[in-house]
Amino acid sequence: MIKSQVLTGKRGKAGGIAFVDDPRSAQQEARRLLGMEISGFPVEHLLVESKIRIDKELYLAVTLDGGQRCPLILASLEGGMDIEEVPEAQIVKYPVDVTLGLRPFMAREICRRLGLQGETAKAFSDLLFKLYRLFQEMDAELVEITPLVISGDGLLAADAKVTIDEDALFRHKSLPRVEERTDLEKKAHDLGLAYVELGGDIAVMANGAGMAMATLDMLHHYGGKPANFLDAGGGAGVEQTARALELLLATGPKVIMINIFGGITRCDDVAKAFATVKEAKDLTIPVVFRLVGTNEAAGLEILRGIGIQAYRTMQETAQKAVELSRQSSA
Amino acid sequence: MAIYIDEKTRVMVQGITGNQGSFHARQMLAYGTRIVAGVSPGKGGQEVEGGPVFDTAEAAAVQERPDASILFVPAAFALDGALEALHAGMKVVVVITEGIPVHDAMTMIATARQKGAVVVGPNTFGLVSSGKCKIGIMPNQIYTPGPVGVVARSGTLSYEIVANLQEAGYGTSTVVGLGGDRAVGLNFIDVLPELEADPETELIVMVGEIGGTAEEEAAKYIEAHVSKPVIAYLAGKSAPPGKRMGHAGAIIERGRGTFQAKVEALSAAGVEVAELPFQVPELARKILA
C-alpha cells in the first residue's frame, strides 16, 4: 500500500491511497501521488507498507468535550468511515475526570461496552492508556486512530490524526509548525490580533470578538461585503491600534469601518492611533467611525480635529459604510 | 438576592500589582466592590489602593477572609493561580486571562467542581450584580439595577446590548460573562437555573455566538425548565466555516456550531431571537410592557 502523507483527512476518498502488486506499478502510483494535491495540500511524502489482514476496523479517539469541559474517549466498532456517519448508538462516549485521569476500571468499562474480550481487550486497553498519555502530555485537542485494525490477536493503527492546542505551544517548542494562515493573517497573529480574510471591500476593525462578528453581520444585513474580521483586542493601546489600521489599509479596501465600544479599550487611544496613521499614510479612502465608551469625549475631540464626525450607533455606522462602498464602486 | 455575588462578597485580586490588575482594582472599587486583599508573589506587605497585598492566596484568605477572587495572571501561570484560589477556599474564581491552554482550563474547572466552587471564564469579562458588586473588567457606567438578567459569551458585544437596554430604560439584575474559550467553567445551562430562580430577574437575555453547542444545550434546558421569557442574540451569522473568529470557541467545525442550527434550536424552545443587537431592547419592551 502507498499512502499520501498530508495534513488533512479524507485522502482515501480523494484518491490519495494506492494498492499495488509489483515494483513497476508501485513506481507509477508513487509518481502519480507525488504530483497530486489533496484539499490544497501538495503530496510531498509517501508511506509504503504491506497490506494488512483486516479482521475488523475500529474507531478510537481522545478529544475535548466543551460541554462537559473534560476529555472524552470516543470508541466504536464501526471504524474505517467518517465517525460523523456512524449512528450515535454505536459510539461509546466516555468522559474522563481530569483530576483522576484514565484509570484501569475506566478502560475495562469501555471494553465491556464495546464487547471486546481476551487478548484484544488487553491490547485495546494498552493502546488507550498510551493515547490518553499522549493527549495529556502533548496538550492535544484530538488524538484519533481510524481505522484501528484488528488483525489476528493484534491491533494496528492504519491511520491517525493528532491536533495540538495552539495556546499550549509555548510548552512544546520543539514541535514543527504547519502554517495554515494567509500572509496577512500570520502578520496579524504576530501583532497579537485576531484576523480573518473575507474578501469583500469594507475593511472592518472592532474591539472584542463578539462585537467584530456582530459588525460583520450588520454589514451583511445592509447588503455590504466585509473584507475581513479584525478583533483589535480589549485594551489595545495606541501603538497596537495603529498597526492594526495599517494592516487594514494593506488590503486595499474601498471603505474602512471602525466600531469601538470602549470598555478597557480607551476611545482617545483609538482616535490618537487613527490620527497618526491617517497623517503618516496620507489616507484618502473614506472612513466611518463609531466611538463610544471609556474616554469618549476626548476621542471624539481628536477625531473632530482631523475632520471626522463619528456616529453614535452601530447601525448608522454600518449603513453609511455600505452606502459609501457602493458609491465608490460606481 | 443576586446570583453568585452580592454587596457582601469579599473580593481578592490576584496579580493586583500589575498594570491591568491595579487599573481594574481601581475601577471595581469605584463601582462599590468590596476588595479586601490583593495577591502578588514577592510583593507581600505592600498596599494597592489602600488595601493589603499578600504573597500567597492562603495568607490573604487567613487575614482577610475573601469569598471570591479575580485573576490578572499571564496564561502560563493562570492554572496555578486558579488552583491556589480554590485551595484557599474561594467559591467564585473569575479568570480574565485569554490564551490559557485548554487542558489547564479543564483542570481548574474539574477542581472547582470537586470543591463546590465555580470558575467563571477563562477569557471572560467577569460578572456583575448591578449596583452591588462587579468582579470583572467591564465599563462601570452601563450597569444600573433592573429586571434583565444577561448571560453572554462575548464581552464588548454584551456591553453594546446592556448599554442599549439601559438607554431604553431597562437596567440589569446580574450580568455573567461565560468566556470565549472552548472549555469554560460556566455555560448557559449553568447560569439559566440561577436566573430562573432569582426574584430580581424578570427577563433573561442570552448573548451567544457561533461555535460549540452551548446555545443548543441551553435551548433544551429552556424548553424544559425556564418559565421566564428569554431573548437571544447570536453573533456570527455571516462567519465562514473553519475560521476561528477571535474567540477560541467561535468556530464552525465539522458542520457543528452553525448560526442556523442555534437559531432553530432556540426558536423551537420559544426563545425570541434578535437578528441585530439593537432589536434586543425592542423585544424587551414588548415582553416587559
Side-chain angles (χ1 to χ4, degrees):
Chain A
M1 286 181 76
I2 308 178
K3 295 175 167 181
S4 309
Q5 302 295 294
V6 280
L7 289 158
T8 179
K10 306 203 164 55
R11 60 182 178 173
K13 279 182 192 158
I17 296 175
F19 299 91
V20 294
D21 296 321
D22 58 81
R24 175 188 289 271
S25 49
Q27 198 179 24
Q28 267 175 7
E29 284 300 307
R31 192 169 289 138
R32 177 182 71 81
L33 292 174
L34 285 170
M36 73 187 287
E37 267 193 14
I38 298 174
S39 315
F41 290 90
V43 178
E44 287 165 347
H45 301 277
L46 299 176
L47 176 69
V48 181
E49 56 186 8
S50 58
K51 192 157 181 267
I52 49 177
R53 194 186 103 200
I54 295 177
D55 294 330
K56 182 113 191 99
E57 291 186 322
L58 315 184
Y59 175 93
L60 178 60
V62 188
T63 186
L64 292 169
D65 185 335
Q68 297 295 317
R69 307 135 230 187
C70 65
L72 181 70
I73 292 167
L74 292 174
S76 175
L77 295 178
E78 305 299 321
M81 56 198 256
D82 287 346
I83 192 70
E84 286 92 348
E85 290 165 20
V86 176
E88 282 278 318
Q90 290 173 31
I91 304 173
V92 171
K93 292 184 177 180
Y94 195 93
V96 179
D97 179 342
V98 277
T99 58
L100 291 178
L102 185 67
R103 300 279 163 174
F105 75 84
M106 301 176 188
R108 287 198 298 276
E109 173 62 17
I110 293 166
C111 286
R112 186 194 65 81
R113 290 194 207 170
L114 285 170
L116 296 178
Q117 285 170 342
E119 285 305 306
T120 314
K122 195 171 170 302
F124 185 85
S125 295
D126 284 349
L127 179 67
L128 186 55
F129 273 95
K130 287 178 190 157
L131 280 193
Y132 189 83
R133 205 179 124 199
L134 171 69
F135 177 77
Q136 196 180 30
E137 288 179 7
M138 295 310 290
D139 278 296
E141 292 174 339
L142 172 73
V143 176
E144 180 186 67
I145 299 180
T146 182
L148 173 62
V149 173
I150 301 183
S151 186
D153 276 345
L155 284 173
L156 283 165
D159 192 8
K161 184 179 174 188
V162 176
T163 56
I164 307 292
D165 177 12
E166 267 207 49
D167 288 332
L169 288 177
F170 69 91
R171 291 201 278 240
H172 309 282
K173 295 212 168 74
S174 63
L175 285 177
R177 254 207 86 94
V178 182
E179 197 51 71
E180 289 174 321
R181 294 167 295 199
T182 66
D183 286 351
L184 266 175
E185 285 171 4
K186 189 174 177 310
K187 209 172 149 192
H189 183 84
D190 293 342
L191 289 171
L193 304 166
Y195 181 89
V196 178
E197 268 179 76
L198 297 172
D201 51 18
I202 306 172
V204 180
M205 181 169 99
N207 62 329
M211 186 70 129
M213 272 190 272
T215 307
L216 303 182
D217 294 346
M218 201 174 272
L219 285 170
H220 266 278
H221 180 80
Y222 292 121
K225 293 188 212 68
N228 66 282
F229 167 94
L230 173 64
D231 172 7
V238 177
E239 184 58 25
Q240 199 189 4
T241 309
R243 297 262 183 82
L245 282 165
E246 283 167 10
L247 197 83
L248 286 187
L249 290 176
T251 65
K254 284 182 189 158
V255 184
I256 297 179
M257 170 169 172
I258 300 174
N259 182 19
I260 304 294
F261 195 114
I264 34 175
T265 304
R266 292 168 39 166
C267 290
D268 52 336
D269 280 350
V270 176
K272 256 180 238 162
F274 180 74
T276 315
V277 173
K278 184 171 193 279
E279 198 180 294
K281 297 273 170 179
D282 193 19
L283 204 63
T284 51
I285 48 172
V287 178
V288 275
F289 236 108
R290 187 261 188 144
L291 197 57
V292 295
T294 310
N295 293 4
E296 177 180 328
L300 295 176
E301 187 60 42
I302 295 169
L303 288 186
R304 267 195 295 276
I306 54 170
I308 289 180
Q309 191 65 43
Y311 292 90
R312 257 207 72 72
T313 70
M314 197 165 149
Q315 55 270 34
E316 287 172 302
T317 322
Q319 280 169 319
K320 187 70 190 171
V322 173
E323 187 191 316
L324 287 169
S325 76
R326 290 199 175 129
Q327 277 172 11
S328 47
S329 57
Chain B
M1 190 194 96
I3 65 171
Y4 300 113
I5 56 172
D6 60 25
E7 67 278 9
K8 295 195 206 78
T9 306
R10 297 168 69 85
V11 180
M12 170 173 91
V13 178
Q14 291 173 268
I16 197 167
T17 54
N19 245 341
Q20 297 280 322
S22 58
F23 176 78
H24 289 293
R26 230 172 4 255
Q27 295 294 314
M28 285 186 274
L29 284 166
Y31 191 78
T33 304
R34 290 180 71 180
I35 295 180
V36 296
V39 176
S40 219
K43 306 266 171 74
Q46 296 185 6
E47 285 203 345
V48 171
E49 298 298 319
V53 177
F54 297 88
D55 284 318
T56 65
E58 199 170 321
V62 169
Q63 287 287 316
E64 303 295 339
R65 293 169 288 104
D67 333 284
S69 181
I70 178 167
L71 270 78
F72 296 96
V73 174
F77 310 105
L79 172 60
D80 195 50
L83 294 179
E84 184 184 12
L86 291 165
H87 191 71
M90 299 310 111
K91 291 297 166 204
V92 177
V93 177
V94 180
V95 185
I96 303 295
T97 314
E98 185 174 0
I100 293 175
V102 69
H103 282 249
D104 292 3
M106 290 192 298
T107 303
M108 54 178 95
I109 293 162
T111 307
R113 208 178 278 163
Q114 285 179 345
K115 291 184 177 288
V118 291
V119 166
V120 185
N123 195 9
T124 175
F125 59 86
L127 74 168
V128 51
S129 282
S130 297
K132 294 173 180 159
C133 179
K134 181 189 95 165
I135 308 182
I137 58 171
M138 49 288 210
N140 288 349
Q141 68 274 15
I142 59 176
Y143 302 97
T144 44
V148 187
V150 180
V151 51
R153 275 171 77 181
S154 150
T156 47
L157 183 55
S158 78
Y159 310 162
E160 172 83 31
I161 286 169
V162 168
N164 284 346
L165 282 165
Q166 190 191 41
E167 215 158 297
Y170 300 108
T172 40
S173 49
T174 298
V175 179
V176 181
L178 303 176
D181 283 355
R182 279 158 300 174
V184 287
L186 291 179
N187 279 333
F188 287 115
I189 51 167
D190 302 303
V191 181
L192 285 168
E194 303 286 336
L195 290 172
E196 170 74 7
D198 173 29
E200 287 172 7
T201 301
E202 293 168 35
L203 165 68
I204 299 169
V205 172
M206 287 172 54
V207 182
E209 62 194 30
I210 53 156
T213 53
E215 289 81 3
E216 286 88 334
E217 284 151 25
K220 269 190 223 151
Y221 185 86
I222 290 166
E223 194 158 23
H225 304 288
V226 177
S227 63
K228 291 179 183 175
V230 183
I231 299 172
Y233 170 74
L234 306 174
K237 184 180 185 183
S238 63
K243 292 282 186 182
R244 224 171 265 293
M245 305 301 276
H247 283 155
I251 181 169
I252 298 167
E253 278 174 312
R254 301 177 170 201
R256 286 201 336 167
T258 64
F259 178 84
Q260 213 47 47
K262 290 176 191 296
V263 170
E264 277 165 23
L266 288 166
S267 302
V271 174
E272 293 268 8
V273 181
E275 281 269 314
L276 297 167
F278 62 84
Q279 291 167 350
V280 172
E282 291 168 15
L283 290 168
R285 185 169 293 129
K286 266 203 315 205
I287 292 166
L288 292 173

